[in-house]
């Protein structure tokens, strides 16, 4: 079955407050976005990689970030939209016609592994939709007003959702089309599938599969990248 991967990397990164889009920030001498792209490109089961980038950044990607990456002939570059959801939708419509399974990954998650991707794809082929996830470690409190606790959900039933997420191509396309028609904005692509009444399976993520969202994440990412380079866990 033909698998296409979408790497969502069109964000402005304003929350980082570092004067640079987070996908370009260097971690151990390599841009954040390069980490996940390199993993996807070397996987035989990934036929194409649709890279969704900020409008106007094509030259920077082609000449700087992708210049020395092996397997870049598998990459399709498209401009992103006003939101992550719109950017992924543009990636979906840029996917090759023969695509049967679609993988979506955040470009700001540099430490995804081949094993994580493969498991997610395999479960999506069985269940139609799958998301990498890790169990919540800490006690979670629900507060409707942010001032007092309303309830404490059972921790064993709570999971932190990550990417990669993988889907039957027809299913995720239908989910995005329905969301657009209804003006529904989800926080991830799995949420759009859930809105169709479909189940989303869970696959094994990793606590180190972090998403860079604030400046405090950068030193931690440097530590993880250093361990990865040194063969550590």
């Amino acid at each position: 079955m033909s698998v296409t991967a979408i790497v969502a990397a069109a964000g402005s990164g304003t929350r980082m407050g570092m004067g640079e889009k987070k996908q370009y920030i260097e971690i151990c001498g390599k841009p954040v976005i390069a980490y996940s792209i390199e993993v996807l490109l070397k996987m035989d089961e990934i036929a194409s990689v649709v890279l969704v980038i900020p409008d106007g950044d094509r030259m920077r990607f082609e000449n700087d970030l992708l210049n020395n990456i092996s397997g870049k002939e598998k990459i399709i570059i498209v401009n992103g939209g006003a939101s992550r959801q719109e950017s992924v939708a543009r990636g979906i419509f840029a996917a090759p016609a023969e695509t049967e399974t679609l993988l979506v990954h955040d470009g700001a998650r540099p430490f995804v592994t081949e094993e994580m991707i493969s498991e997610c794809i395999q479960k999506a082929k069985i269940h139609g939709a799958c998301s990498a996830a890790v169990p919540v470690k800490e006690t979670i409190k629900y507060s409707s007003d942010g001032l007092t606790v309303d309830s404490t959900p059972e921790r064993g039933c709570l999971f932190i959702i990550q990417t990669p997420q993988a889907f039957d191509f027809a299913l995720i396309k239908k989910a995005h089309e329905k969301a657009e028609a209804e003006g529904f904005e989800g926080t991830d692509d799995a949420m759009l599938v859930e809105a169709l009444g479909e189940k989303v399976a869970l696959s094994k993520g990793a606590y180190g599969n972090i998403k860079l969202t604030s400046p405090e994440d950068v030193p931690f990412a440097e530590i993880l990248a250093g361990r990865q380079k040194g063969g550590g866990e």
Side-chain angles (χ1 to χ4, degrees):
M1 297 177 70
S2 180
V3 180
T4 295
I6 291 176
V7 178
S12 62
T14 53
R15 282 183 295 173
M16 289 295 288
M18 297 181 67
E20 177 64 286
K21 295 169 185 173
K22 58 187 175 182
Q23 57 268 44
Y24 304 135
I25 294 170
E26 290 199 354
I27 302 296
C28 288
K30 186 162 67 174
V32 166
I33 185 63
Y35 283 84
S36 54
I37 291 175
E38 287 177 351
V39 172
L40 289 164
L41 289 178
K42 68 181 180 181
M43 295 182 66
D44 292 337
E45 60 195 299
I46 305 292
S48 303
V49 175
V50 179
L51 181 55
V52 189
I53 67 172
D55 191 13
D57 282 12
R58 181 179 291 265
M59 292 293 289
R60 185 173 188 182
F61 269 89
E62 290 181 344
N63 296 337
D64 298 335
L65 300 179
L66 304 179
N67 191 39
N68 297 315
I69 289 181
S70 177
K72 61 184 178 182
E73 64 277 359
K74 293 165 70 170
I75 293 177
I76 301 166
I77 297 179
V78 297
N79 291 334
S83 66
R84 181 190 183 280
Q85 187 166 307
E86 184 182 349
S87 293
V88 172
R90 291 187 180 189
I92 289 172
F93 288 103
E98 62 271 20
T99 301
E100 296 175 88
T101 301
L102 187 85
L103 184 94
V104 181
H105 185 63
D106 293 320
R109 287 189 192 272
F111 304 119
V112 68
T113 65
E114 291 186 49
E115 292 75 20
M116 211 180 297
I117 293 166
S118 291
E119 181 184 350
C120 193
I121 290 170
Q122 292 309 312
K123 286 198 171 184
K125 288 179 179 179
I126 296 169
H127 302 285
C130 180
S131 175
V134 292
V136 167
K137 289 182 177 182
E138 301 180 11
T139 298
I140 302 296
K141 301 289 185 181
Y142 172 74
S143 173
S144 58
D145 60 8
L147 299 173
T148 58
V149 173
D150 294 324
S151 62
T152 305
E154 170 55 47
R155 187 171 63 185
C157 300
L158 299 176
F159 290 81
I160 299 170
I161 295 300
Q162 303 179 336
T163 64
Q165 296 182 349
F167 309 92
D168 172 82
F169 186 67
L171 176 63
I172 191 61
K173 188 175 180 182
K174 178 182 178 182
H176 269 270
E177 289 172 342
K178 183 174 185 290
E180 182 181 5
E182 297 179 354
F184 175 68
E185 192 79 21
T187 54
D188 70 350
D189 297 284
M191 192 173 176
L192 306 188
V193 172
E194 293 167 40
L196 291 176
E198 301 289 340
K199 295 287 188 181
V200 178
L202 298 178
S203 60
K204 188 176 180 181
Y207 293 105
N209 183 31
I210 64 170
K211 183 178 181 181
L212 275 68
T213 57
S214 66
E216 292 78 14
D217 297 325
V218 176
F220 184 40
E222 292 274 1
I223 293 171
L224 292 174
R227 288 179 179 176
Q228 188 181 76
K229 189 179 294 186
E233 294 299 322

